[in-house]
Amino acid sequence: DLRLSDAGEHDTLMQRLYALASDRDPAWRGIDPLVADVLRLHLRWFLEFAPPGFDPHGACLGNLLLAGGYLRHGGGLGPVLHLFARLLRVRGTVVPIVDDDLHLAAELADGTVLLGQHRITGKGVPGITAPVRRLFLTRIRPDDGGQAGQAGQAGPTGPDGPAGPDGQDGAGGPHGTRGEDHHGGEGRNSAPPAEARVPVSGVAARHIAEANLICFPMGSFYTSVMANLLPEGVGRAVAAAPCPKVYVPNSGTDPEQLGLSVADCAAALLTMLRRDAGADMPAARLLNTVVVDTRNGVYPGGIDHEGLRAQGVELLDAPVVRALPGEGAHPVTMAGRHDADAVADLLLGLACPRG
């Protein structure tokens, strides 16, 4: 989980990356030598392919390693994920939801369209100041400002919805899409980007169909969670899967949610899934249960029990968030983290056994 500083000189941070590519760097102490060799090789690949204008501020080492393998394999993410899953002994199967070269774009409630995952989630730039109306994929590269202007008649195709719970999301993260910035211009593209519609990969669709349980987990709500629902076919695959569907919302502040309640987020998930599965698809086929921890969890926008009930979604209150030390109320920024073991045990208990 090593991440470079958000501050500091460009050359100093790049020197740190080059130092990490050496087996003499103390960061590799205690790591299996074979694993460390492979990780350093991927970092060296990234440094080989990185563009001259690469900005290392706040860079996550894990993302750079994945990017190095992605670039070395000519834009193929599947082989990289397979290698890392085996190398790190991941208990499960990791596959891209779609393997393509795409970018994220978000239309906000005030009409602004942002390009690039980091612009939407607020990584190294100010966070969004208006709710996400919808989020989509595009083949247009972000410009220097990552802001594509105002949405209008020439804007992206697709269903528009009111701001807040009807927000739609895009794909950024380990499923083949990319949201990095592209320098040039004056910070604006000449027109809002065209939406790219791409199908879910066959392998991913098969895993969804065969799942014992489908979990919409905690994480950046739009760019990490709803992102995976964007490819065509995902909503239909979820609806067809005869297993429980569970949402575990964030505890604490997620800048992307911007005041949304848990019920609002559930509504956004249902809207996104119905975009593909059909507007009349019953909630029971898409989302059954929302898991919260009313004792230790912190939900800045509230839970809205009535809102969940009106959508036909069950609320399950369970001890899945670690308690913070000390007594009394804590600020939202100090919300306890989810207890990984407790969450895993709960999900396994809800899973549908397969014969």
Side-chain angles (χ1 to χ4, degrees):
D1 193 28
L2 192 152
R3 185 181 293 273
L4 296 184
S5 172
D6 290 324
E9 295 293 331
H10 174 276
D11 290 349
T12 301
L13 294 175
M14 289 303 298
Q15 288 173 8
R16 177 68 184 125
L17 283 181
Y18 279 100
L20 283 167
S22 168
D23 59 3
R24 294 189 294 272
D25 193 277
W28 302 109
R29 292 174 184 168
I31 298 178
D32 182 280
L34 175 60
V35 173
D37 283 344
V38 175
L39 298 182
R40 286 192 296 269
L41 177 62
H42 282 71
L43 178 57
R44 288 195 292 271
W45 282 341
F46 174 79
L47 293 171
E48 176 185 347
F49 287 104
F54 170 68
D55 183 358
H57 290 89
C60 173
L61 180 61
N63 288 342
L64 300 185
L65 300 178
L66 290 172
Y70 173 84
L71 295 170
R72 183 67 172 80
H73 287 86
L77 192 60
V80 185
L81 294 179
H82 180 72
L83 171 63
F84 274 63
R86 291 177 60 86
L87 190 69
L88 303 176
R89 299 177 183 176
V90 174
R91 290 182 292 179
T93 303
V94 183
V95 298
I97 196 75
V98 61
D99 201 351
D100 204 341
D101 187 5
L102 302 163
H103 293 273
L104 294 177
E107 180 186 345
L108 306 184
D110 62 5
T112 300
V113 178
L114 302 177
L115 274 73
Q117 176 182 347
H118 62 299
R119 300 288 174 184
I120 301 160
T121 200
K123 294 289 186 183
V125 296
I128 58 174
T129 57
V132 174
R133 177 177 291 144
R134 71 185 186 102
L135 200 144
F136 54 96
L137 298 173
T138 181
R139 298 190 185 279
I140 303 300
R141 288 182 175 273
D143 58 23
D144 185 50
Q147 185 167 316
Q150 301 294 314
Q153 293 181 348
T157 59
D160 290 327
D166 289 335
Q168 309 255 341
D169 195 51
H175 40 69
T177 59
R178 291 161 46 193
E180 54 265 42
D181 207 5
H182 185 268
H183 298 288
E186 297 179 354
R188 287 179 180 271
N189 290 333
S190 58
E195 180 176 3
R197 296 186 178 275
V198 295
V200 61
S201 77
V203 175
R206 185 173 70 251
H207 280 291
I208 294 173
E210 298 174 352
N212 298 79
L213 179 141
I214 295 172
C215 179
F216 308 103
M218 47 280 195
S220 297
F221 183 66
Y222 285 101
T223 61
S224 291
V225 182
M226 295 240 292
N228 292 279
L229 309 182
L230 271 180
E232 294 181 344
V234 174
R236 280 168 282 163
V238 170
C243 68
K245 289 97 178 188
V246 182
Y247 170 42
V248 184
N250 291 314
S251 172
T253 300
D254 175 10
E256 296 182 5
Q257 293 180 212
L258 205 64
L260 297 183
S261 69
V262 172
D264 290 335
C265 292
L269 286 168
L270 288 171
T271 297
M272 175 67 81
L273 291 164
R274 284 172 174 149
R275 189 178 81 158
D276 185 70
D280 58 349
M281 182 63 64
R285 297 273 302 277
L286 303 171
L287 176 62
N288 312 119
T289 306
V290 174
V291 179
V292 298
D293 185 339
T294 56
R295 179 178 178 85
N296 296 319
V298 176
Y299 308 98
I303 295 175
D304 188 3
H305 297 68
E306 290 300 323
L308 288 169
R309 189 176 297 112
Q311 297 175 62
V313 179
E314 176 188 0
L315 182 67
L316 175 58
D317 192 349
V320 293
V321 179
R322 295 185 183 276
L324 290 172
E327 298 181 359
H330 295 280
V332 172
T333 53
M334 293 180 59
R337 292 178 177 271
H338 278 85
D339 184 321
D341 291 335
V343 173
D345 288 343
L346 184 142
L347 294 178
L348 288 173
L350 294 175
C352 176
R354 293 288 179 92

